[in-house]
Amino acid sequence: MSLERPPPPVPAATAPRLLADIGATYARFCIERVRGSFEHIAVLPCDDYIGFTAVVQAYLATLPGIHPRHGAVAIANPIEGDHVQMTNRDWAFSIREAQGELDLSTLLVVNNYTALAMSLPDVGPEDRRQVGGGEAQPDSVIGLIGPGAGLGVSGLVPSGDRWVTLATEGGHVSFAPTDERELRVLQHAWKTMPRVSAERMLSGPGLELIHQALSDGDAHLSAADIVRRALHGGDATCDAALDCFCGMLGTMASDLALTLGASGGIYVGGGIVPRLGERFDRSPFRERFEAKGRFSEFVARIPTFVLTAENLAFRGVSSLLADHMPEAEAGNPLLERVRAARDSLSPAEKRVASYVLDNPRAALNDPIALIAQGAEVSQPTVIRFCRSLGFQGLADFKLKLGSGLTGTLPVQRTQVRRQDSTGDLCAKVLDNTISSIVQFRESINVEAVDRAIELLRRAKRVEFYAMGNSAVVALDAQHKLFRFRIPSVAHTDVSMHAMAAELLGPDDVAVFVSSSGQPPELARAAGLAVDHGASVIAVTAGQSPLARRSTVCIPVEHTEDATTFVSMISRILHLLVVDMMSVGLAMRRPGPGAPGGNVPAPGQSPAGGQVQPAPGVLISHIT
């Protein structure tokens, strides 16, 4: 998952899609028919328009007979829900209302630095310029910072075979000076600002403020004029202001690198730095980036890059739109089924079918009321549509749709209601459980599981401690380990826990299972086990009292109110943890004919690469 990847196959043409990058000063637009190919690029000044929909409509009016049905917009603003209020411009709008006004079947609105971050995996050496030393580590966190009209901050975190973007407002952290010149600038800013954020300095207006401070308030040049004079020489104050700006940016960039642990590199974008060229390379930026005291050697290994490619935001927002709304030719069986059945449906049901085909992600995640509103039908019509296709109801339909769109199921919870049919009830229970498993899969602490397997592998005796609904998990685990010929017992009577724990010794392992990790009886027994030299494995909530008394904690963070409800999903997750440990144990114990033989190290198979389960035991996960 390094940033340099082989070129992807040439994608097929699709229906035209509208892509936009809306900043505080300019709005950039294009049409995309083929992934990564941008046509009809236009830049419109935001000052000429009264609002978001007005500037988009102005661009659409220039297109020669092109009517995009789907659109994605990157905007310089946090996106929280349907209402958007821009920070650096007095534009406010509802995403859903704008979608209707623009006659778009899909309108995806994301933070502009989230979009820019999503473009980074496709950035090659020709799209960037390295400043200073350092080498990017593959499969590592990447940081992104960019001064323009404001200060954008984001990051990319590797997760399995994909990247996860960080939607941050890091540009609004407090500014801190690092030398007397910067203190002088800060004191000047304090005259008019009770709080000074990093964006107040590291932006176009910030460069103007720095210049004013260094000229004692006598000069009032625009950021463009300051940059022009600094680049052409002859103006010492402009040159000093630009150096001060670049030094501040170096400090902020290294703060970001330390905060994220961004050994994959720090990328600098925005509307200012890429225009500075070699002048930025000669600025104090990299020197200040590495000036981190005890951590100077750490940040010196992190490379810094200036983004030089055009239309990177378009690349990122295109990727986000493709993920939000898969291509029709992606071959989703359920969508093909909807498409094939559309002509045989009633007029109202056809509207639902068209809405689903145009907005599969919304149909997957939105409640029935929003789906009905989007399709302009009643809620019962949505249910009739699902049943016309042979499903029990909307929950059943979503279950099948989710597996086709993502390869997994949507990570969401759906409440079972008394009026649900048996089919909907079954679908919702399955949906909730599988979605929780998907969430757990993304957060599982693999290192903790590995350490737990190693403790079990070396144990002469294993005891399981649980109470209430978790007792069945302890009994299941005891049964599995006994099949491995490991002396094991399950204690489910809480009155026996402390007495049993006092009998444990250094060669023993105690495994505690609890949904909350709060019962004092379990925490006390775990403490006694540790005091007597035993190792304790806790399968429970990560920050609980039980977890704090364990040798190894495998955190399971699915919480259920056991005082009011019967815990169900957490029990399934705990059983899965037992299965993980059992399979790992089966792979690492000596094989048939080799009792007491050489046991492979953690994570390794026996000699010859053949997995050998414990004598007389077959594990269904192992082939």
Side-chain angles (χ1 to χ4, degrees), residues 353-379:
S354 297
Y355 179 81
V356 169
L357 292 172
D358 289 340
N359 305 275
R361 295 287 177 179
L364 178 64
N365 294 315
D366 286 353
I368 187 172
L370 289 181
I371 296 172
Q373 180 181 344
E376 298 181 344
V377 299
S378 66
Q379 294 184 29

mmCIF file of all heavy atoms in Angstrom, residues 353-379:
data_model
loop_
_atom_site.group_PDB
_atom_site.id
_atom_site.type_symbol
_atom_site.label_atom_id
_atom_site.label_comp_id
_atom_site.label_asym_id
_atom_site.label_seq_id
_atom_site.Cartn_x
_atom_site.Cartn_y
_atom_site.Cartn_z
ATOM 1 N N ALA A 353 -37.586 1.974 -7.713
ATOM 2 C CA ALA A 353 -36.511 1.254 -8.407
ATOM 3 C C ALA A 353 -35.487 2.227 -8.974
ATOM 4 O O ALA A 353 -34.265 2.018 -8.839
ATOM 5 C CB ALA A 353 -37.100 0.389 -9.516
ATOM 6 N N SER A 354 -35.964 3.305 -9.594
ATOM 7 C CA SER A 354 -35.041 4.294 -10.161
ATOM 8 C C SER A 354 -34.208 4.956 -9.071
ATOM 9 O O SER A 354 -33.003 5.196 -9.241
ATOM 10 C CB SER A 354 -35.830 5.347 -10.946
ATOM 11 O OG SER A 354 -36.503 4.756 -12.047
ATOM 12 N N TYR A 355 -34.853 5.240 -7.936
ATOM 13 C CA TYR A 355 -34.122 5.854 -6.827
ATOM 14 C C TYR A 355 -33.036 4.907 -6.313
ATOM 15 O O TYR A 355 -31.898 5.337 -6.060
ATOM 16 C CB TYR A 355 -35.083 6.212 -5.698
ATOM 17 C CG TYR A 355 -34.400 6.840 -4.503
ATOM 18 C CD1 TYR A 355 -34.063 8.189 -4.502
ATOM 19 C CD2 TYR A 355 -34.067 6.079 -3.384
ATOM 20 C CE1 TYR A 355 -33.427 8.771 -3.426
ATOM 21 C CE2 TYR A 355 -33.419 6.653 -2.302
ATOM 22 C CZ TYR A 355 -33.102 7.996 -2.331
ATOM 23 O OH TYR A 355 -32.447 8.563 -1.258
ATOM 24 N N VAL A 356 -33.366 3.638 -6.173
ATOM 25 C CA VAL A 356 -32.390 2.656 -5.685
ATOM 26 C C VAL A 356 -31.223 2.533 -6.653
ATOM 27 O O VAL A 356 -30.051 2.487 -6.247
ATOM 28 C CB VAL A 356 -33.065 1.290 -5.460
ATOM 29 C CG1 VAL A 356 -32.025 0.203 -5.217
ATOM 30 C CG2 VAL A 356 -34.031 1.366 -4.290
ATOM 31 N N LEU A 357 -31.501 2.487 -7.953
ATOM 32 C CA LEU A 357 -30.437 2.354 -8.944
ATOM 33 C C LEU A 357 -29.544 3.582 -8.981
ATOM 34 O O LEU A 357 -28.327 3.472 -9.187
ATOM 35 C CB LEU A 357 -31.044 2.109 -10.329
ATOM 36 C CG LEU A 357 -31.747 0.752 -10.510
ATOM 37 C CD1 LEU A 357 -32.479 0.707 -11.842
ATOM 38 C CD2 LEU A 357 -30.749 -0.396 -10.423
ATOM 39 N N ASP A 358 -30.134 4.764 -8.770
ATOM 40 C CA ASP A 358 -29.344 5.989 -8.791
ATOM 41 C C ASP A 358 -28.637 6.261 -7.472
ATOM 42 O O ASP A 358 -27.605 6.945 -7.453
ATOM 43 C CB ASP A 358 -30.246 7.190 -9.113
ATOM 44 C CG ASP A 358 -30.714 7.193 -10.559
ATOM 45 O OD1 ASP A 358 -30.063 6.525 -11.386
ATOM 46 O OD2 ASP A 358 -31.727 7.836 -10.851
ATOM 47 N N ASN A 359 -29.181 5.732 -6.375
ATOM 48 C CA ASN A 359 -28.641 6.033 -5.043
ATOM 49 C C ASN A 359 -28.520 4.761 -4.203
ATOM 50 O O ASN A 359 -29.158 4.637 -3.150
ATOM 51 C CB ASN A 359 -29.544 7.035 -4.316
ATOM 52 C CG ASN A 359 -29.779 8.294 -5.110
ATOM 53 O OD1 ASN A 359 -28.989 9.222 -5.075
ATOM 54 N ND2 ASN A 359 -30.893 8.336 -5.841
ATOM 55 N N PRO A 360 -27.741 3.789 -4.644
ATOM 56 C CA PRO A 360 -27.698 2.518 -3.895
ATOM 57 C C PRO A 360 -27.200 2.678 -2.473
ATOM 58 O O PRO A 360 -27.674 1.991 -1.567
ATOM 59 C CB PRO A 360 -26.754 1.644 -4.737
ATOM 60 C CG PRO A 360 -25.975 2.594 -5.581
ATOM 61 C CD PRO A 360 -26.864 3.758 -5.839
ATOM 62 N N ARG A 361 -26.237 3.597 -2.232
ATOM 63 C CA ARG A 361 -25.734 3.774 -0.867
ATOM 64 C C ARG A 361 -26.798 4.390 0.038
ATOM 65 O O ARG A 361 -26.945 4.006 1.192
ATOM 66 C CB ARG A 361 -24.492 4.660 -0.876
ATOM 67 C CG ARG A 361 -23.308 4.041 -1.585
ATOM 68 C CD ARG A 361 -22.686 2.945 -0.784
ATOM 69 N NE ARG A 361 -21.586 2.320 -1.505
ATOM 70 C CZ ARG A 361 -20.844 1.348 -1.039
ATOM 71 N NH1 ARG A 361 -21.089 0.858 0.157
ATOM 72 N NH2 ARG A 361 -19.882 0.827 -1.750
ATOM 73 N N ALA A 362 -27.531 5.355 -0.507
ATOM 74 C CA ALA A 362 -28.601 5.958 0.288
ATOM 75 C C ALA A 362 -29.686 4.935 0.581
ATOM 76 O O ALA A 362 -30.217 4.863 1.697
ATOM 77 C CB ALA A 362 -29.186 7.161 -0.451
ATOM 78 N N ALA A 363 -30.036 4.117 -0.408
ATOM 79 C CA ALA A 363 -31.041 3.077 -0.195
ATOM 80 C C ALA A 363 -30.573 2.073 0.845
ATOM 81 O O ALA A 363 -31.373 1.490 1.582
ATOM 82 C CB ALA A 363 -31.347 2.365 -1.510
ATOM 83 N N LEU A 364 -29.269 1.890 0.927
ATOM 84 C CA LEU A 364 -28.708 0.940 1.887
ATOM 85 C C LEU A 364 -28.729 1.491 3.308
ATOM 86 O O LEU A 364 -29.050 0.769 4.255
ATOM 87 C CB LEU A 364 -27.269 0.613 1.480
ATOM 88 C CG LEU A 364 -26.478 -0.327 2.380
ATOM 89 C CD1 LEU A 364 -27.098 -1.706 2.396
ATOM 90 C CD2 LEU A 364 -25.026 -0.396 1.921
ATOM 91 N N ASN A 365 -28.437 2.773 3.470
ATOM 92 C CA ASN A 365 -28.201 3.331 4.808
ATOM 93 C C ASN A 365 -29.337 4.182 5.354
ATOM 94 O O ASN A 365 -29.455 4.349 6.560
ATOM 95 C CB ASN A 365 -26.907 4.166 4.790
ATOM 96 C CG ASN A 365 -25.677 3.324 4.541
ATOM 97 O OD1 ASN A 365 -25.514 2.266 5.137
ATOM 98 N ND2 ASN A 365 -24.832 3.763 3.631
ATOM 99 N N ASP A 366 -30.177 4.752 4.472
ATOM 100 C CA ASP A 366 -31.208 5.676 4.950
ATOM 101 C C ASP A 366 -32.421 4.931 5.504
ATOM 102 O O ASP A 366 -32.730 3.820 5.058
ATOM 103 C CB ASP A 366 -31.670 6.593 3.811
ATOM 104 C CG ASP A 366 -30.644 7.661 3.483
ATOM 105 O OD1 ASP A 366 -29.652 7.763 4.234
ATOM 106 O OD2 ASP A 366 -30.818 8.369 2.482
ATOM 107 N N PRO A 367 -33.138 5.534 6.454
ATOM 108 C CA PRO A 367 -34.395 4.948 6.932
ATOM 109 C C PRO A 367 -35.464 5.047 5.851
ATOM 110 O O PRO A 367 -35.334 5.786 4.869
ATOM 111 C CB PRO A 367 -34.745 5.797 8.158
ATOM 112 C CG PRO A 367 -34.063 7.106 7.919
ATOM 113 C CD PRO A 367 -32.800 6.787 7.178
ATOM 114 N N ILE A 368 -36.545 4.303 6.047
ATOM 115 C CA ILE A 368 -37.590 4.219 5.040
ATOM 116 C C ILE A 368 -38.186 5.584 4.719
ATOM 117 O O ILE A 368 -38.559 5.865 3.562
ATOM 118 C CB ILE A 368 -38.684 3.215 5.471
ATOM 119 C CG1 ILE A 368 -39.686 2.991 4.328
ATOM 120 C CG2 ILE A 368 -39.380 3.669 6.742
ATOM 121 C CD1 ILE A 368 -40.674 1.871 4.610
ATOM 122 N N ALA A 369 -38.286 6.470 5.704
ATOM 123 C CA ALA A 369 -38.886 7.785 5.463
ATOM 124 C C ALA A 369 -38.084 8.576 4.444
ATOM 125 O O ALA A 369 -38.651 9.219 3.550
ATOM 126 C CB ALA A 369 -38.998 8.561 6.777
ATOM 127 N N LEU A 370 -36.743 8.541 4.529
ATOM 128 C CA LEU A 370 -35.913 9.275 3.586
ATOM 129 C C LEU A 370 -35.930 8.626 2.205
ATOM 130 O O LEU A 370 -35.875 9.318 1.181
ATOM 131 C CB LEU A 370 -34.474 9.370 4.115
ATOM 132 C CG LEU A 370 -34.260 10.295 5.316
ATOM 133 C CD1 LEU A 370 -32.797 10.313 5.721
ATOM 134 C CD2 LEU A 370 -34.743 11.698 5.014
ATOM 135 N N ILE A 371 -35.978 7.295 2.170
ATOM 136 C CA ILE A 371 -36.065 6.615 0.876
ATOM 137 C C ILE A 371 -37.366 6.985 0.175
ATOM 138 O O ILE A 371 -37.389 7.280 -1.028
ATOM 139 C CB ILE A 371 -35.955 5.084 1.062
ATOM 140 C CG1 ILE A 371 -34.570 4.726 1.612
ATOM 141 C CG2 ILE A 371 -36.216 4.353 -0.251
ATOM 142 C CD1 ILE A 371 -34.431 3.268 2.000
ATOM 143 N N ALA A 372 -38.472 6.964 0.930
ATOM 144 C CA ALA A 372 -39.764 7.333 0.351
ATOM 145 C C ALA A 372 -39.750 8.777 -0.126
ATOM 146 O O ALA A 372 -40.266 9.099 -1.207
ATOM 147 C CB ALA A 372 -40.867 7.121 1.383
ATOM 148 N N GLN A 373 -39.139 9.662 0.649
ATOM 149 C CA GLN A 373 -39.059 11.064 0.263
ATOM 150 C C GLN A 373 -38.232 11.237 -1.001
ATOM 151 O O GLN A 373 -38.605 11.990 -1.911
ATOM 152 C CB GLN A 373 -38.455 11.880 1.403
ATOM 153 C CG GLN A 373 -38.333 13.371 1.106
ATOM 154 C CD GLN A 373 -37.693 14.135 2.258
ATOM 155 O OE1 GLN A 373 -37.600 13.636 3.379
ATOM 156 N NE2 GLN A 373 -37.225 15.339 1.982
ATOM 157 N N GLY A 374 -37.099 10.536 -1.067
ATOM 158 C CA GLY A 374 -36.248 10.639 -2.250
ATOM 159 C C GLY A 374 -36.911 10.113 -3.504
ATOM 160 O O GLY A 374 -36.698 10.639 -4.607
ATOM 161 N N ALA A 375 -37.710 9.062 -3.364
ATOM 162 C CA ALA A 375 -38.401 8.474 -4.513
ATOM 163 C C ALA A 375 -39.740 9.144 -4.793
ATOM 164 O O ALA A 375 -40.404 8.802 -5.788
ATOM 165 C CB ALA A 375 -38.609 6.976 -4.284
ATOM 166 N N GLU A 376 -40.153 10.041 -3.890
ATOM 167 C CA GLU A 376 -41.433 10.760 -4.011
ATOM 168 C C GLU A 376 -42.610 9.779 -4.031
ATOM 169 O O GLU A 376 -43.507 9.856 -4.877
ATOM 170 C CB GLU A 376 -41.438 11.647 -5.261
ATOM 171 C CG GLU A 376 -40.365 12.720 -5.233
ATOM 172 C CD GLU A 376 -40.382 13.611 -6.467
ATOM 173 O OE1 GLU A 376 -41.022 13.217 -7.470
ATOM 174 O OE2 GLU A 376 -39.759 14.680 -6.430
ATOM 175 N N VAL A 377 -42.588 8.840 -3.070
ATOM 176 C CA VAL A 377 -43.674 7.876 -2.909
ATOM 177 C C VAL A 377 -43.980 7.767 -1.424
ATOM 178 O O VAL A 377 -43.302 8.348 -0.580
ATOM 179 C CB VAL A 377 -43.303 6.482 -3.471
ATOM 180 C CG1 VAL A 377 -43.007 6.555 -4.963
ATOM 181 C CG2 VAL A 377 -42.089 5.899 -2.716
ATOM 182 N N SER A 378 -44.993 6.985 -1.082
ATOM 183 C CA SER A 378 -45.324 6.734 0.316
ATOM 184 C C SER A 378 -44.447 5.613 0.861
ATOM 185 O O SER A 378 -43.875 4.820 0.101
ATOM 186 C CB SER A 378 -46.795 6.346 0.446
ATOM 187 O OG SER A 378 -47.033 5.101 -0.192
ATOM 188 N N GLN A 379 -44.368 5.533 2.181
ATOM 189 C CA GLN A 379 -43.576 4.468 2.795
ATOM 190 C C GLN A 379 -44.128 3.077 2.478
ATOM 191 O O GLN A 379 -43.344 2.155 2.211
ATOM 192 C CB GLN A 379 -43.483 4.696 4.308
ATOM 193 C CG GLN A 379 -42.700 5.960 4.663
ATOM 194 C CD GLN A 379 -42.513 6.143 6.159
ATOM 195 O OE1 GLN A 379 -42.468 5.169 6.914
ATOM 196 N NE2 GLN A 379 -42.412 7.398 6.604
#
